[in-house]
Amino acid sequence: MNNHLPAACDACAAKPCRSGDLSTAPKNCPSLGVSPEESLARYSQEDRRTACIAAEVECDGYCRLTRVEEIMEYTRRCGYRKLGLAFCAGLSKEAGILARILRGNGFEVVSACCKNGSVSKDQLGIPKEKQLKRGEAFEAMCNPAGQAAVLNEAGCELDLLLGLCVGHDTLFIKNAEAPITVVAVKDRVTGHNPLAPIYTFDSYGKRLLPYRFVGE
Ligand code: SF4
């Protein structure tokens, strides 16, 4: 790899790394100068097992299983039984249905809502003008560290994220002890489909470039 140029796989249309022949790879290809053995050395034995299970689920369910089904397949093949579900209060109905599906298929579910702890945004130091319910005396902060603590203390073997906000998901991931996978991410505008503006980039998605930051 050319260390003077940052990797830019996004600009590499041909992606020769998929074929195993890197003779046409660009100079800043991160595959150059790294042997397959060196790449694999980055994985612990447990990581290799995880990578194999993930690849097998991908193969067995390719374009056939939904993400919820893939998560159940992955969980069962990993030998996990106790699942943590960290969800957004705004997706309470979805969390209830998901937990019902998981429990109905033999998994134990421990769940924690983002508003757990019932701590006010005032107490966190968020000014009223930056709160959603400005006129009300109390607005609960999202508490992803609390969600992680609940799931950590319960000894969950795998945590599922459902609809956490940008940044709150970061804090959950930082504080969680179990491995994590994502069921869905939060995108209030697109029905939780953040790729919608990417798919429509040539039409409605144009406003992203240049994007006018609302915080300025
Ligand atoms: S060939 Fe190299 S630069 Fe191209 S996508 Fe693969 S890793 Fe990235």
Side-chain angles (χ1 to χ4, degrees):
M1 179 170 56
N2 184 333
N3 288 324
H4 301 295
L5 292 170
C9 292
D10 62 285
C12 172
K15 301 218 165 22
C17 54
R18 301 184 78 166
S19 72
D21 177 3
L22 293 168
S23 58
T24 58
K27 281 199 174 89
N28 57 342
C29 170
S31 304
L32 298 177
V34 185
S35 70
E37 291 73 24
E38 286 170 315
S39 287
L40 279 173
R42 296 177 176 132
Y43 292 77
S44 66
Q45 279 308 112
E46 191 184 343
D47 288 347
R48 289 185 193 206
R49 179 173 172 265
T50 301
C52 288
I53 293 171
E56 287 168 16
V57 169
E58 178 192 20
C59 177
D60 292 346
Y62 201 70
C63 291
R64 198 168 58 80
L65 298 183
T66 64
R67 186 165 183 97
V68 170
E69 290 167 318
E70 285 190 335
I71 287 172
M72 289 196 290
E73 286 285 340
Y74 173 77
T75 302
R76 191 179 64 83
R77 295 180 194 202
C78 285
Y80 301 141
R81 232 199 111 252
K82 191 184 249 189
L83 295 174
L85 175 58
F87 68 95
C88 166
L91 280 89
S92 293
K93 184 179 170 191
E94 293 82 351
I97 293 170
L98 178 61
R100 194 173 131 208
I101 291 169
L102 295 170
R103 289 189 183 114
N105 283 290
F107 299 104
E108 187 180 340
V109 178
V110 179
S111 65
C113 160
C114 62
K115 300 299 185 189
N116 79 92
S118 198
V119 180
S120 80
K121 288 188 176 177
D122 291 340
Q123 219 169 337
L124 177 63
I126 300 174
K128 280 287 185 204
E129 65 270 20
K130 295 294 182 185
Q131 298 187 23
L132 294 170
K133 302 174 185 171
R134 282 163 221 173
E136 296 184 17
F138 182 91
E139 182 173 331
M141 65 175 270
C142 289
N143 181 13
Q147 287 177 293
V150 170
L151 305 188
N152 291 345
E153 282 161 25
C156 294
E157 296 166 288
L158 177 71
D159 293 339
L160 310 182
L161 296 196
L162 177 58
L164 299 195
C165 308
V166 172
H168 295 143
D169 53 6
T170 308
L171 287 169
F172 179 88
I173 291 165
K174 184 179 173 193
N175 285 278
E177 291 170 0
I180 298 163
T181 193
V182 178
V183 180
V185 296
K186 164 77 61 60
D187 190 335
R188 297 175 184 88
V189 174
T190 65
H192 311 299
N193 175 15
L195 287 177
I198 308 293
Y199 291 138
T200 60
F201 182 67
D202 291 332
S203 52
Y204 307 108
K206 270 201 170 18
R207 73 179 198 185
L208 291 176
L209 196 63
Y211 170 67
R212 293 182 62 189
F213 289 87
V214 295
E216 290 181 341

